[in-house]
Amino acid sequence: MKIIKELIPYVIIIIVVVLIRTFIVTPVQVEGRSMVPTLQDNQILLLKKYQRNYKRFDIVVIDDGNEKLIKRIIGLPGETLEVRDNKLYINGKYVKEEFEHDKTDDFIYNKKKKIPEGYYFVMGDNRDNSMDSRVFGAFSKDQILGVTSFSIFPFQTFGSIEA
């Protein structure tokens, strides 16, 4: 009986940690260079699983069935999207991208059709080295695991990620 009483605090701690990682936040590791210069290979971020209202330019983690992708939301449901002369146009209007990224080749999403409801168009910041919605198409909201905006490792990157 004494052993059980001593184990109860440890069991509670384990349960709380599992619940936090399952429903609230969990660490994710950047794999590859598709988000350079914003994120670096092997950088560790905190993924906010509870955040489900996605905005343009949020950095999200996507489960594409084979792997976890870390990309930036560029297009929202119901929008048309085009990149021309390295400039982003949403619904025909220029939208300034306030973050550093590589040159983007001209691109029109689905010949000016709208992004379907419940879907998001994502790209990596390292546009020449990113497999993203330009290849795979838009991703459904169900494939998005959450938003990341905080780096925990390496320690010199600790803190909020600049968008």
Side-chain angles (χ1 to χ4, degrees):
M1 206 53 172
K2 182 179 177 189
I3 293 175
I4 292 175
K5 282 185 176 183
E6 289 176 3
L7 288 177
I8 287 177
Y10 297 106
V11 170
I12 291 172
I13 289 170
I14 290 170
I15 291 170
V16 168
V17 167
V18 167
L19 288 173
I20 288 171
R21 284 193 59 154
T22 303
F23 299 108
I24 300 173
V25 295
T26 192
V28 293
Q29 184 171 2
V30 177
E31 293 181 17
R33 301 186 42 79
S34 74
M35 283 298 292
V36 169
T38 307
L39 304 175
Q40 303 300 318
D41 189 27
N42 295 318
Q43 189 170 348
I44 298 177
L45 314 169
L46 283 182
L47 176 67
K48 297 183 278 187
K49 292 182 167 190
Y50 59 87
Q51 187 170 335
R52 302 293 292 170
N53 294 324
Y54 306 119
K55 303 181 307 291
R56 186 177 334 282
F57 306 137
D58 279 350
I59 298 173
V60 295
V61 177
I62 298 164
D63 184 352
D64 79 343
N66 297 319
E67 61 183 321
K68 308 258 186 301
L69 307 172
I70 300 176
K71 305 294 179 190
R72 188 182 299 273
I73 291 178
I74 303 297
L76 303 174
E79 296 180 334
T80 61
L81 184 141
E82 179 178 1
V83 176
R84 187 176 20 148
D85 299 325
N86 202 38
K87 293 182 178 155
L88 174 64
Y89 294 88
I90 300 292
N91 298 328
K93 293 185 168 75
Y94 169 67
V95 174
K96 183 165 177 52
E97 296 176 279
E98 300 280 343
F99 53 92
E100 190 176 339
H101 63 81
D102 279 357
K103 179 182 181 308
T104 310
D105 292 335
D106 289 357
F107 176 84
I108 299 175
Y109 172 74
N110 207 10
K111 304 233 186 328
K112 296 213 179 204
K113 289 183 182 175
K114 292 182 178 181
I115 298 168
E117 286 304 315
Y119 283 77
Y120 295 82
F121 188 94
V122 300
M123 286 196 284
D125 292 354
N126 187 357
R127 305 278 167 90
D128 282 341
N129 189 22
S130 178
M131 298 289 283
D132 50 40
S133 288
R134 293 172 293 172
V135 175
F136 302 120
F139 290 94
S140 75
K141 186 173 186 172
D142 293 338
Q143 290 176 282
I144 300 175
L145 302 177
V147 175
T148 183
S149 61
F150 197 85
S151 176
I152 58 175
F153 186 82
F155 297 116
Q156 64 266 27
T157 67
F158 188 86
S160 289
I161 299 168
E162 296 297 322

